[in-house]
Amino acid sequence: ALQMKRIQYALVQRLPVQLLHGLLVIDVFFEEEDGLVLLDYKTDAVSSMEELWNRYETQLDYYQEAVQKLLGKPVKERILYSFHLERY
């Protein structure tokens, strides 16, 4: 029940997680039966999703580490959504 409240809080309020040298703010994460899913929104004007992943893969690595430490469950999927490209 406590973990579900944390997940619900994250979806509505955005969850700040202190990790290493700074404050990370995860846009959205949710739990499915077989693991956690991270979702991060980006507004960068990019020409491809590959370019976006090149910019933000390390950031998602930090998010994954934080969520796994907080909830003690594996992250099964990481999603970047580009508002500029209107896709993920």
Side-chain angles (χ1 to χ4, degrees), residues 46-60:
V46 294
S47 59
S48 69
M49 287 304 295
E50 181 180 4
E51 182 180 353
L52 200 63
W53 274 101
N54 287 337
R55 288 184 190 180
Y56 292 105
E57 187 167 15
T58 300
Q59 181 181 17
L60 286 175

Side-chain angles (χ1 to χ4, degrees), residues 29-40:
F29 73 93
F30 54 92
E31 185 173 8
E32 294 184 338
E33 288 184 22
D34 56 343
L36 303 169
V37 178
L38 302 180
L39 170 60
D40 200 42

Side-chain angles (χ1 to χ4, degrees), residues 2 4 14 21 24 33 42 47 52 55 58 65 68 72-73 78 81 86:
L2 178 59
M4 182 55 72
R14 298 168 58 106
H21 300 292
L24 302 178
E33 288 184 22
K42 299 298 178 193
S47 59
L52 200 63
R55 288 184 190 180
T58 300
E65 182 179 348
Q68 288 179 156
K73 295 184 179 185
R78 303 172 343 162
Y81 180 81
E86 297 181 336

Side-chain angles (χ1 to χ4, degrees), residues 1 7 10 14 17 25 42 51 62 69-70 72 75 85:
I7 291 170
R14 298 168 58 106
V17 178
V25 179
K42 299 298 178 193
E51 182 180 353
Y62 289 132
K69 284 183 177 182
L70 177 68
V75 170
L85 298 174

